[in-house]
Amino acid sequence: MGKFNITGIQQIGVGTVDFRKSWNWFIEMLGIDVKILEDDTVAERMLPYTGGVPQKRHACIAVSLQGGGGFEIWQYSERKPEPCPFEPAVGDLGIFAAKVKCRDVARFHEELTKKWTDCGKMAMLPDGTHTFLVRDLYGNCFQIVEDKSVFINQNRLTGGIVGAVIGVTDMERAVKFYSEVLGYDKVIYDTAGTFDDWGPMPLSYQQYRRILLGCTTTRKGAFSGLFGTSTIELVQALDRTPRKIYEGRFWGDPGFIQICFDVTGMKELGNFCASKGHPFTVDSCPGDTVFDMGDASGHFTYIEDPDGTLIEFVETHSIPVAKKLGWFIDMKKRNPEKPLPRFLFRMMGLVSREKIN
């Protein structure tokens, strides 16, 4: 098996009915304000998940320099987005919450509740980590978790994505997938019962089994310093049959679309995933073609977890540092395991924090 590397969580996709309102919410409430790229073209290579028809969309990827993964904010441009016909509940199949890092959860809870009403109460995760839930303009749920690590200090309390909460039907099968394929091979907790930290989420009073997975090894790669460590929390409903959040809907419709991992060695990764029974369902670069992502270029692929949750892999070939100056980094010429220096991310951070129009 050839060599590949999974650097960390690059982003979680968030489908929306209003791109600009959603992006401004992420800037104002969570400080996700450094735009890595923006694209307003046709998604031609996602046909298995878009009804077999190319779809025009407007998307951007934005991060926080405090560290953690980013968000891909995404809206159909010509097709009317179709919201989930029910309110996703704890344990429903797919990503039903995104984990956001915060170095002082109590202080941020006090700060956020002064400007946003849809916040849950302070609570603790099963391992004693301070947390609370907040929902955005369209009901997407974010689990704020205590994590004192900081990549570049912006004098803020929050950073970016440090994990996801994913509903599953078969816990053992799901743990095997996330451990063997994605490297989350460390069980941080494994518990069952009812839990106070689900707060305002529907059916939070029912019985669940939940396992939090981390990694025994440190991730390496160009963006490993920015993305940092992450966890995957798997949740299985014990009192009911869960519903699939994206059943009958398209990739890109409102909700958490996919969880995306930054990688190198895409061909080798594809061979590895296929050997584990999870072959690529989408490949943006068949025959070694190059895929342009607006301000950047690279190679993206998709697989599915055992319950159909979409997992994206992105191998970045070129990324803008200062677009107006024509300064781009050719990632193919670098040591794939060597982290990018912090000053390059500071340059990217010169992007305006103003609201978008």
Side-chain angles (χ1 to χ4, degrees):
M1 192 71 67
K3 188 175 182 180
F4 63 88
N5 179 49
I6 299 177
T7 303
I9 296 176
Q10 184 199 84
Q11 41 91 355
I12 287 180
V14 185
T16 181
V17 297
D18 193 312
F19 174 84
R20 288 169 175 79
K21 284 184 179 179
S22 288
W23 192 0
N24 283 332
W25 188 90
F26 281 99
I27 293 171
E28 290 180 32
M29 303 300 168
L30 300 180
I32 310 296
D33 61 350
V34 177
K35 183 178 72 174
I36 300 299
L37 63 88
E38 185 172 0
D39 194 16
D40 191 4
T41 56
V42 176
E44 297 178 333
R45 309 189 188 193
M46 293 297 296
L47 301 187
Y49 303 113
T50 58
V53 178
Q55 301 284 349
K56 191 172 190 300
R57 87 288 193 245
H58 189 187
C60 80
I61 295 177
V63 302
S64 165
L65 293 186
Q66 296 261 143
F71 288 100
E72 181 180 27
I73 304 156
W74 209 102
Q75 182 190 352
Y76 282 107
S77 300
E78 297 174 345
R79 172 183 174 270
K80 184 178 179 181
E82 185 177 339
C84 187
F86 58 88
E87 186 177 7
V90 176
D92 279 341
L93 305 181
I95 302 165
F96 65 88
K99 292 176 178 283
V100 176
K101 69 186 295 184
C102 177
R103 52 182 170 180
D104 189 332
V105 169
R107 186 176 159 197
F108 182 61
H109 184 267
E110 181 181 1
E111 177 184 290
L112 189 61
T113 52
K114 292 178 181 178
K115 59 182 180 180
W116 188 250
T117 58
D118 203 351
C119 299
K121 296 180 179 180
M122 286 283 298
M124 284 189 180
L125 296 175
D127 64 349
T129 301
H130 292 285
T131 186
F132 72 92
L133 297 178
V134 57
R135 290 189 288 196
D136 70 5
L137 293 160
Y138 305 108
N140 296 308
C141 189
F142 302 86
Q143 186 185 66
I144 310 300
V145 295
E146 191 119 326
D147 182 335
K148 296 187 181 300
S149 64
V150 175
F151 181 59
I152 294 176
N153 190 358
Q154 303 284 287
N155 296 314
R156 300 177 192 164
L157 296 176
T158 55
I161 287 291
V162 287
V165 190
I166 300 173
V168 303
T169 56
D170 184 323
M171 186 61 80
E172 278 64 39
R173 184 176 63 167
V175 167
K176 182 178 180 181
F177 169 81
Y178 284 96
S179 175
E180 293 185 357
V181 178
L182 298 177
Y184 289 94
D185 56 353
K186 177 183 178 182
V187 176
I188 299 172
Y189 57 72
D190 179 353
T191 185
T194 59
F195 302 95
D196 293 338
D197 60 288
W198 294 133
M201 290 200 70
L203 305 181
S204 61
Y205 55 87
Q206 292 187 345
Q207 297 270 334
Y208 297 93
R209 183 182 177 191
R210 56 198 293 189
I211 292 182
L212 184 68
L213 298 175
C215 303
T216 56
T217 59
T218 302
R219 304 281 195 182
K220 298 178 181 179
F223 303 99
S224 58
L226 174 66
F227 297 150
T229 60
S230 59
T231 58
I232 296 292
E233 185 165 14
L234 304 174
V235 178
Q236 182 178 353
L238 302 179
D239 293 340
R240 65 184 175 90
T241 300
R243 295 171 291 185
K244 188 171 183 178
I245 296 171
Y246 272 88
E247 186 71 42
R249 298 192 299 141
F250 286 1
W251 169 84
D253 275 331
F256 293 117
I257 308 167
Q258 83 272 319
I259 182 168
C260 175
F261 292 86
D262 180 80
V263 307
T264 57
M266 187 70 81
K267 285 185 178 181
E268 293 79 5
L269 176 60
N271 292 334
F272 174 76
C273 289
S275 75
K276 295 295 183 180
H278 299 275
F280 291 161
T281 58
V282 169
D283 187 340
S284 70
C285 300
D288 294 324
T289 57
V290 175
F291 182 75
D292 182 19
M293 298 181 291
D295 296 334
S297 66
H299 184 181
F300 75 80
T301 61
Y302 277 77
I303 62 172
E304 297 180 5
D305 85 351
D307 291 292
T309 298
L310 293 180
I311 310 295
E312 182 182 14
F313 299 121
V314 170
E315 183 168 28
T316 303
H317 294 163
S318 174
I319 190 170
V321 176
K323 183 182 175 182
K324 292 181 179 180
L325 300 176
W327 185 2
F328 290 73
I329 299 175
D330 186 344
M331 303 299 295
K332 294 182 291 183
K333 296 181 179 179
R334 299 187 77 259
N335 179 343
E337 293 190 351
K338 184 178 180 181
L340 286 167
R342 277 180 168 80
F343 83 86
L344 292 177
F345 293 99
R346 293 183 187 277
M347 288 293 297
M348 296 178 192
L350 295 177
V351 175
S352 172
R353 294 183 59 205
E354 296 294 325
K355 292 184 181 180
I356 63 170
N357 296 318

